[in-house]
Amino acid sequence: MPQAAQAHDVKIRPLSGGVTNVNFRIDVDDAAYVATVRGNQQPMLGIDVMQAGHNARIAHQYGIGPEVVLSNPSELLCRFIDGRIIQAGDLKSASIRRKIIKTLRCCHRIPIEAVLGVYSVFDVVQEHVQTSRQY
């Protein structure tokens, strides 16, 4: 947030919904951001925060994510995108389904070599089972 030092109006409020992070909306004059303070559970959950920051930048380049302003091991700062969380009933809407399909197609156009890390939901489940057994 380069303009934060000269800001006249700064508002910070918590956002709900983070499972492994604490999230805040930060309004600086006319600009809005989301600050994600990463929790200490990331390594135990198999989350590589540096990969996540890199991949968030790639998502922005392909038009399916917000601009990343800052990414480091403890925090992620992105531009805020106004919207709402899709609910199950929203899938009845043809226009919502078209937007989801368009976004998924865009995801599949990202070259695999541009993304850091390999993610398989099946592998993650097995890794979580192993981690659970350890603890």
Side-chain angles (χ1 to χ4, degrees):
M1 281 184 297
Q3 75 273 29
Q6 297 85 22
H8 294 93
D9 187 27
V10 177
K11 294 179 186 146
I12 301 172
R13 59 183 174 215
L15 293 172
S16 63
V19 176
T20 61
N21 305 310
V22 179
N23 301 294
F24 299 91
R25 177 176 170 163
I26 304 173
D27 293 291
V28 180
D29 293 331
D30 294 330
Y33 304 88
V34 172
T36 298
V37 180
R38 295 172 167 146
N40 60 2
Q41 304 92 347
Q42 262 64 359
M44 184 172 61
L45 296 173
I47 299 169
D48 182 319
V49 295
M50 297 313 287
Q51 284 181 356
H54 170 85
N55 292 339
R57 290 180 194 280
I58 296 296
H60 173 68
Q61 288 175 9
Y62 281 83
I64 55 173
E67 176 189 2
V68 176
V69 178
L70 169 79
S71 178
N72 63 45
S74 60
E75 57 206 353
L76 178 68
L77 183 70
C78 297
R79 297 262 180 199
F80 178 80
I81 297 176
D82 197 22
R84 65 179 185 79
I85 297 171
I86 295 174
Q87 304 297 315
D90 295 335
L91 297 176
K92 294 176 185 173
S93 164
S95 67
I96 298 276
R97 289 193 311 269
R98 280 192 293 276
K99 288 177 184 178
I100 292 169
I101 291 166
K102 180 181 175 188
T103 302
L104 289 173
R105 284 184 176 149
C106 190
C107 287
H108 288 275
R109 280 196 290 273
I110 299 172
I112 193 69
E113 29 323 311
V115 178
L116 290 181
V118 175
Y119 182 87
S120 162
V121 69
F122 305 106
D123 292 343
V124 170
V125 168
Q126 290 302 318
E127 289 167 12
H128 288 319
V129 167
Q130 293 302 321
T131 301
S132 297
R133 288 184 176 141
Q134 278 183 302
Y135 292 95

